Amino acid sequence: MNAGKPLFDRGAIERPEAELLLHCARSRRDLEGSARVTVLLQQQVDWDIVLQLAYRHKMMPLLYWSLSRCAPGTIPASILDRFREHFRSNSLINMSLTRKLIRILKEFEEHNIAAVPYKGPVLAASVYGDLALREFNDLDILVRKEDILRAKRQLLFLEYRQENELTQVQEAAFLESQREYVFAHDDGSVVELHWAVTPRSFSFRLDSKELWERLEEVSLGGVTVP
């Protein structure tokens, strides 16, 4: 594999591997795009480069989904098997994390803690339309700042461990200067509990209060979440 060479240097976008990835970077197919993918696959494609690009941009599931529908017969069997195995593995991980997210949200709801999941499963469901088409490895949840300590207690109850133990004074300073807690579980899952979306170093601040007024509902694993 060409590990030492940049994959998007000047003119690289003209390579069939890069164009192939771009045409597959969509969750909805059209006739023109599918026809172009078929043409590209008839060229001399370097599958090592395709795999590098797909791994780098976390596009393995979406690439497999696109290629298996356009022209699976033109893809080397060994490459298609790698795509398929990654797709199945990613699907299982995503379903497991989604179940964990729903459990956490239910726990928060039972304790009157308003919570908004974002990125991760809800981005996959709302933008890709399919949990299996996006790669994610943690759960991001936004709560109001005044609820952060109660939300933390419920995560501890669910046997998540806080990344850093803080004294009361340290925690007060942390809440003023930072925007998220990180929790880990023995099963390997990670939850990032946010009370703000952007760090203080950003040139502009997103008002979290305004975001709470603009929520939309998403169907996730048979449950509707904000």
Side-chain angles (χ1 to χ4, degrees), residues 25-93:
R26 59 187 70 185
S27 58
R28 293 174 179 83
R29 301 242 47 87
D30 58 73
L31 292 177
E32 183 179 353
S34 296
R36 183 57 184 162
V37 168
T38 301
V39 170
L40 289 168
L41 290 174
Q42 292 171 352
Q43 300 182 28
Q44 190 173 356
V45 175
D46 187 326
W47 287 103
D48 280 347
I49 292 179
V50 172
L51 287 168
Q52 286 186 68
L53 288 170
Y55 275 120
R56 176 176 296 182
H57 298 288
K58 297 185 181 297
M59 269 193 57
M60 287 287 285
L62 197 55
L63 185 60
Y64 169 73
W65 182 85
S66 295
L67 294 179
S68 63
R69 282 159 175 75
C70 288
T74 63
I75 305 170
S78 60
I79 298 297
L80 193 60
D81 286 344
R82 290 179 66 177
F83 282 144
R84 185 183 296 111
E85 181 59 32
H86 189 284
F87 186 86
R88 290 174 177 171
S89 175
N90 184 70
S91 297
L92 291 174
I93 292 171

Side-chain angles (χ1 to χ4, degrees), residues 192-210:
E192 295 183 1
L193 189 63
H194 302 254
W195 56 92
V197 177
T198 55
R200 297 183 65 176
S201 59
F202 265 42
S203 58
F204 65 92
R205 299 289 296 275
L206 286 178
D207 189 339
S208 297
K209 293 181 180 179
E210 290 187 7

Side-chain angles (χ1 to χ4, degrees), residues 145 171-178 195 200:
K145 189 174 181 179
E171 188 159 55
F174 189 87
L175 289 171
E176 289 303 316
S177 61
Q178 303 299 316
W195 56 92
R200 297 183 65 176

Side-chain angles (χ1 to χ4, degrees), residues 149 165-175:
L149 294 180
E165 292 293 336
L166 303 173
T167 66
Q168 188 172 356
V169 173
Q170 290 172 331
E171 188 159 55
F174 189 87
L175 289 171

Side-chain angles (χ1 to χ4, degrees), residues 171-188:
E171 188 159 55
F174 189 87
L175 289 171
E176 289 303 316
S177 61
Q178 303 299 316
R179 63 188 175 102
E180 66 183 39
Y181 281 130
V182 178
F183 294 85
H185 197 281
D186 286 342
D187 62 15

